[in-house]
Amino acid sequence: ASYCASTAVYLSAHQSIGVPQPLIVFGTEEQKQKFLPRFATGSISAFALTEPDVGSDPAKMTTKAEPTPDGKHFIINGEKLWCTNGIRADIMVVMAQTPAKIVHGKPRQQITAFIVERSMGGVENVHRCEFMGLKGIQNGLLRFNNVKVPVENIIGGEGQGLKIALTTLNTGRLTMPAAVTGASKYCLQSVIEWSNERVQWGSKIGKHEAVASKIAAMTSTIFAMESVSEIASVMADKKETDIRLEAAMAKLATTEASWKIVDGAVQIRGGRGYETARSLKARGEKPWAVERVMRDARINTIIEGTSQIMRLFIAREAMDMHVRNIMSVIGPRVSFFKRIGNFFKAFAFYAVWYPKQYLPGSTVPEGVPSRLMTHFKFIGCNAKKLARHLFHAMMIYQTNLEGKQHLLAKLVNVGTDLFSMSCALSRAVYLHQQNPSDDGALELADLFCLQARGRIRKQFSGLFFNRDKFVYKVAQNALEGKYRWLESDIF
Ligand SMILES: Cc1cc2nc3c(=O)[nH]c(=O)nc-3n(C[C@H](O)[C@H](O)[C@H](O)COP(=O)(O)OP(=O)(O)OC[C@H]3O[C@@H](n4cnc5c(N)ncnc54)[C@H](O)[C@@H]3O)c2cc1C
């Protein structure tokens, strides 16, 4: 990824979200035997979920798969947009709506994952999409015209499509932290070389404080990003815990951080940051491709879950326990007597849980160097503070909390920074234990934590007393045309 983001995205779409991953997790033995060997002999795969009218909310998809009268096949019709590798793929996972099932007397929508082979006929490449960056990917708008797919090609059973998509994306998302860390390292290399070489106003630009502070932030953030990526990946490989939350936080934290790093690299390289590698080379300069990295990087906070959707997803996961407790009391399908019983159960639970959130944080593990102790303590205290605030927010806003996206985003940002701090600290302690004479990792973790603590304090301070309502009002006014005069003097 540090060399070519297009190759990283091509591989990620093929391997992490394309046919191999869902097949490994959800496929039958027959499906694995039939399809997996093909990927060792050159088959290219893709993942087709997004549609022209359906992006972040895939449950509303319109691609349909109708069963044939003999029940042996499904006929797929519909369009899939921005399908990476789709133009070339000979085999792909296609998500489609299958006939609704009646659950509790009501029709429930079914989304099903199909393995579709181009050789089945009816898969049309309508358009090859071109983007700001990632010029090397083969991504397109595909149309499925009466594609006849055998029922044996359903992955995980009818109606399991969304679950498969979400589970696949959990692991798939972990490609992203590794890839953006690689690209960020490339930026750092370019910046360090340039800042040591370029002299302005009588000194190397790396000696000017404004540039130096950017370099320090970039270096410590890359250390934290790599720590997050490695720890989340180890957790995924161990398969001992559900990593939904960690994978989402890793994706959110690293893609947002890497965008700032790329932006910093362009800024420090000045005009050369904006110039293409080809043009630099033609003028006889070293062709650092920071301009291309920036164009390539812009998509990372959009694909595989936009940052906004990631925050909502993380918030939902974090609230899950409370939602279940509350719904067991106020849920519409709960009988009166069950409601009373659940109320007392929840009361007993919170009578213990809530006061615990005011007790001091967990003890610092043994062997932690003194300069990092305070950060461990900070994480312990602030994880509890976060739990309290989340609980208070649920009590105040109840079922309206989902709509309080500013508030949730702040809570998620705190949680994500606490997670990144924990990863950076754990890895720094480990690296220091391996090589006690080198305190580099401790220094980087220390700086990252100091900066993260500043961000966390800021997020907490604006949690309940803020300008969120006014901000929302101005946005709605803008949408309704109140400030149209502001746009009136442009061509
Ligand atoms: C280069 C590239 C490669 C891609 N590869 C694939 C692929 O291989 N397979 C595939 O299926 N798809 C692929 N996609 C699609 C990609 O996953 C979607 O672009 C992404 O899911 C966002 O959907 P959207 O663009 O329709 O945005 P929308 O969902 O329309 O969102 C627009 C904006 O609104 C925000 N938003 C939406 N809903 C909410 C909400 N409830 N609350 C707050 N904010 C919200 C979003 O964050 C975003 O900022 C690719 C896209 C690109 C550009």
Side-chain angles (χ1 to χ4, degrees):
S2 58
Y3 189 74
C4 175
S6 291
T7 308
V9 170
Y10 156 60
L11 267 178
S12 169
H14 165 70
Q15 199 162 286
S16 307
I17 58 173
V19 179
Q21 183 63 19
L23 212 54
I24 288 167
V25 181
F26 295 98
T28 62
E29 209 36 54
E30 293 75 50
Q31 287 174 332
K32 288 180 192 172
Q33 295 293 337
K34 182 174 174 190
F35 295 109
L36 287 180
R38 286 173 48 179
F39 300 111
T41 55
S43 264
I44 296 178
S45 87
F47 176 75
L49 175 70
T50 307
E51 298 180 0
D53 291 328
V54 177
S56 305
D57 187 9
K60 304 278 186 321
M61 72 176 56
T62 57
T63 296
K64 291 232 162 31
E66 297 289 346
T68 53
D70 62 6
K72 289 187 178 158
H73 292 84
F74 277 83
I75 306 291
I76 301 185
N77 279 292
E79 281 190 348
K80 293 290 177 183
L81 183 60
W82 298 322
C83 185
T84 303
N85 301 347
I87 297 288
R88 285 196 58 200
D90 46 341
I91 178 165
M92 54 194 101
V93 181
V94 178
M95 298 290 170
Q97 264 202 54
T98 43
K101 288 235 158 83
I102 303 296
V103 181
H104 297 302
K106 284 188 186 156
R108 181 180 286 175
Q109 188 207 31
Q110 302 283 298
I111 290 178
T112 302
F114 292 90
I115 300 172
V116 172
E117 299 194 59
R118 197 174 282 272
S119 59
M120 289 166 176
V123 181
E124 185 190 344
N125 290 345
V126 180
H127 171 72
R128 179 174 173 173
C129 302
E130 288 172 20
F131 302 104
M132 173 196 291
L134 297 179
K135 300 290 185 191
I137 62 170
Q138 308 217 31
N139 175 302
L141 170 64
L142 304 184
R143 188 172 297 139
F144 297 84
N145 304 302
N146 294 317
V147 181
K148 194 172 177 187
V149 187
V151 284
E152 300 85 66
N153 280 25
I154 289 178
I155 312 177
E158 246 181 273
Q160 296 300 306
L162 273 189
K163 183 180 159 200
I164 290 171
L166 290 176
T167 313
T168 303
L169 281 173
N170 279 337
T171 334
R173 276 189 193 118
L174 290 179
T175 313
M176 201 69 101
V180 298
T181 303
S184 302
K185 285 185 176 190
Y186 176 87
C187 289
L188 182 64
Q189 261 184 3
S190 77
V191 157
I192 287 179
E193 188 183 279
W194 186 240
S195 304
N196 275 322
E197 189 184 310
R198 178 73 164 171
V199 175
Q200 289 291 289
W201 303 86
S203 50
K204 290 178 179 168
I205 58 168
K207 297 286 177 198
H208 296 303
E209 228 176 59
V211 175
S213 65
K214 275 197 198 316
I215 295 172
M218 284 166 98
T219 315
S220 58
T221 305
I222 290 172
F223 177 77
M225 287 163 68
E226 189 160 61
S227 309
V228 166
S229 171
E230 282 189 5
I231 289 175
S233 303
V234 167
M235 289 171 86
D237 284 344
K238 278 195 167 171
K239 298 188 173 72
E240 285 166 3
T241 37
D242 180 348
I243 55 142
R244 258 177 299 184
L245 202 50
E246 287 79 3
M249 287 196 292
K251 197 267 174 186
L252 174 65
T254 57
T255 53
E256 289 284 336
S258 91
W259 177 244
K260 287 195 190 118
I261 287 168
V262 176
D263 185 51
V266 170
Q267 191 69 20
I268 292 175
R269 287 204 26 97
R272 286 165 181 82
Y274 195 65
E275 189 173 4
T276 66
R278 193 189 304 175
S279 174
L280 286 165
K281 193 174 177 189
R283 295 198 292 106
E285 290 207 24
K286 194 164 175 184
W288 283 106
V290 174
E291 171 269 344
R292 174 170 61 78
V293 173
M294 176 171 242
R295 284 187 288 104
D296 289 345
R298 189 58 194 87
I299 193 61
N300 295 328
T301 56
I302 298 173
I303 42 172
E304 296 189 18
T306 68
S307 291
Q308 290 74 20
I309 297 299
M310 285 291 93
R311 289 196 181 93
L312 293 182
F313 176 82
I314 294 166
R316 252 178 237 156
E317 290 292 323
M319 291 188 300
D320 190 48
M321 175 187 82
H322 299 307
V323 171
R324 271 189 280 126
N325 283 339
I326 291 175
M327 290 317 280
S328 73
V329 178
I330 63 167
R333 283 208 211 100
V334 187
S335 70
F336 177 74
F337 290 110
K338 202 134 186 58
R339 209 178 283 262
I340 302 286
N342 288 344
F343 171 79
F344 284 110
K345 257 194 229 162
F347 184 81
F349 172 78
Y350 285 109
V352 178
W353 180 87
Y354 187 71
K356 262 196 194 166
Q357 307 313 314
Y358 284 91
L359 295 177
S362 48
T363 48
V364 178
E366 261 178 49
V368 171
S370 54
R371 73 184 298 170
L372 300 186
M373 287 247 191
T374 150
H375 302 313
F376 274 97
K377 286 182 188 153
F378 180 91
I379 293 173
C381 292
N382 283 274
K384 292 195 168 189
K385 189 171 174 183
L386 177 62
R388 289 198 305 268
H389 281 312
L390 188 61
F391 181 71
H392 296 159
M394 288 203 66
M395 290 300 109
I396 296 169
Y397 297 108
Q398 299 183 9
T399 47
N400 294 328
L401 184 57
E402 276 229 337
K404 298 281 169 201
Q405 294 191 349
H406 272 140
L407 171 65
L408 290 177
K410 285 172 204 157
L411 292 168
V412 168
N413 290 343
V414 169
T416 305
D417 254 334
L418 288 174
F419 173 61
S420 302
M421 282 174 72
S422 321
C423 294
L425 289 171
S426 306
R427 184 153 160 264
V429 171
Y430 171 77
L431 291 175
H432 185 60
Q433 279 166 354
Q434 303 302 304
N435 186 4
S437 62
D438 184 354
D439 69 348
L442 299 186
E443 241 167 45
L444 294 180
D446 192 13
L447 179 60
F448 176 78
C449 289
L450 287 170
Q451 296 189 330
R453 285 168 69 163
R455 290 193 294 269
I456 290 171
R457 284 199 195 95
K458 196 169 161 211
Q459 298 287 324
F460 271 141
S461 71
L463 216 49
F464 294 106
F465 301 100
N466 49 52
R467 299 184 189 93
D468 291 357
K469 266 192 183 159
F470 180 51
V471 169
Y472 189 75
K473 190 175 156 211
V474 170
Q476 299 314 305
N477 286 344
L479 290 170
E480 285 156 19
K482 185 169 177 183
Y483 319 121
R484 186 92 349 122
W485 46 267
L486 205 57
E487 311 156 29
S488 64
D489 54 354
I490 54 163
F491 291 110

